[in-house]
Amino acid sequence: MTDRLPHEKGFHISWDQIHRDSRALAWRLEQQGPGGGQWRAVVAITRGGLAPAMIIARELDIRVVDTISVKSYDNQTRAEAVVLKAPQAEIMGDDGEGILVIDDLVDTGKTLELVRKLFPKAHFATVYAKPLGRDMVDSFITEVSQDTWIFFPWDMALQYVEPYRGK
Ligand SMILES: O=P(O)(O)OC[C@H]1O[C@H](OP(=O)(O)OP(=O)(O)O)[C@H](O)[C@@H]1O
Ligand SMILES: O=c1[nH]c(=O)c2nc[nH]c2[nH]1
Ligand SMILES: [Mg+2]
């Protein structure tokens, strides 16, 4: 099943902005590892979670980094979330306790819902969150409205724009 979501607004994020917001998320997560200590591993939800996960792993000095691949969207159309690649079973343990699962954003929450079912005791963190999915995430930095589409720097390119008076 797919459904079309209306996105009236666009929120354009630069590399600098995602770097700063991911760092802010890392600092927020620092004291929240198991027993107030170090996280056992970072797991990025690919592909969007890869860049934030790298920045967070670097900030928190976590060397064990794995991925789970969940595909939910074709362009701006939501489809059923499916796991295309799971993380290593030895890293995750029975329930994901002590593991930090990172994604770039939570929108409807369907992606995190699926991953949470697999690893219910992991900590779920995203850089951005929309209201529908906010309850699925344990930590995030910035909330945007549901009708906003977030444009990430890896999906954009700098391009020439005509001067305002030249049109
Ligand atoms: O909360 P939801 O409604 O599930 O949406 C959020 C997910 O959608 C996007 O990933 P996408 O499936 O588009 O794949 P990508 O990360 O490879 O771009 C985004 O990176 C999140 O993972
Ligand atoms: O680049 C993206 N921006 C978004 O706002 C979004 N929501 C779900 N998936 C998304 N991908
Ligand atoms: Mg994604």
Side-chain angles (χ1 to χ4, degrees), residues 27-39:
W27 301 338
R28 184 165 296 176
L29 293 165
E30 195 198 354
Q31 308 295 336
Q32 298 188 50
Q38 180 68 305
W39 296 99

Side-chain angles (χ1 to χ4, degrees), residues 29-144:
L29 293 165
E30 195 198 354
Q31 308 295 336
Q32 298 188 50
Q38 180 68 305
W39 296 99
R40 291 199 296 111
V42 167
V43 172
I45 302 182
T46 64
R47 297 158 302 176
L50 281 166
M54 176 268 168
I55 294 163
I56 288 162
R58 188 263 180 189
E59 289 300 310
L60 301 183
D61 195 25
I62 301 166
R63 299 282 172 164
V64 180
V65 180
D66 203 344
T67 57
I68 178 167
S69 177
V70 180
K71 183 169 188 289
S72 328
Y73 283 81
D74 278 318
N75 294 317
Q76 294 190 20
T77 305
R78 159 154 261 307
E80 204 62 51
V82 284
V83 176
L84 302 177
K85 181 256 169 205
Q88 252 187 307
E90 309 89 83
I91 291 176
M92 300 312 288
D94 288 339
D95 52 16
E97 190 162 14
I99 303 292
L100 199 47
V101 178
I102 304 291
D103 208 348
D104 50 357
L105 79 129
V106 60
D107 188 320
T108 64
K110 293 280 193 240
T111 302
L112 290 190
E113 190 182 8
L114 181 71
V115 183
R116 251 186 201 284
K117 271 196 197 127
L118 299 173
F119 310 112
K121 291 212 175 147
H123 187 102
F124 291 83
T126 63
V127 187
Y128 306 105
K130 299 187 194 179
L132 265 179
R134 198 178 40 212
D135 289 349
M136 293 304 299
V137 73
D138 301 308
S139 308
F140 67 91
I141 293 297
T142 300
E143 182 166 342
V144 302

